[in-house]
Amino acid sequence: IIGEVGLGAEVRRVNQIQARVKEAQNLGFKSCILPESNLNEIKKEFSGLKIELIGVKTVSEALKYVLDERR
């Protein structure tokens, strides 16, 4: 999970998202939860990523994804 959490539980965009996601992929992670505001940026720049990207706006959205037993 990558992002900065605000006082209202919003997940804020972060700098150097490309490097962070590439490193997660290099470390063997299969998916990455990141701020939705960073999602379009990374999709434009890296079309060849082999890691699933999940964009979220709030901590609640991130937790729903993480706690989903069907994954």
Side-chain angles (χ1 to χ4, degrees):
I1 299 175
I2 302 170
E4 181 178 315
V5 178
L7 292 175
E10 71 276 8
V11 178
R12 298 180 183 163
R13 73 181 290 113
V14 294
N15 294 327
Q16 301 179 349
I17 191 68
Q18 300 90 346
R20 295 170 192 228
V21 171
K22 282 176 91 174
E23 185 62 23
Q25 180 177 287
N26 291 342
L27 290 170
F29 287 90
K30 305 290 185 221
S31 61
C32 181
I33 299 174
L34 63 151
E36 192 171 278
S37 55
N38 281 122
L39 190 59
N40 291 334
E41 173 188 344
I42 197 152
K43 282 187 174 181
K44 288 178 188 175
E45 296 193 29
F46 295 105
S47 58
L49 286 173
K50 294 179 170 84
I51 188 169
E52 179 185 11
L53 300 174
I54 302 105
V56 296
K57 291 182 181 178
T58 64
V59 171
S60 176
E61 286 179 37
L63 286 174
K64 284 179 188 175
Y65 181 80
V66 169
L67 299 175
D68 185 358
E69 293 178 12
R70 291 171 277 157
R71 290 203 38 86

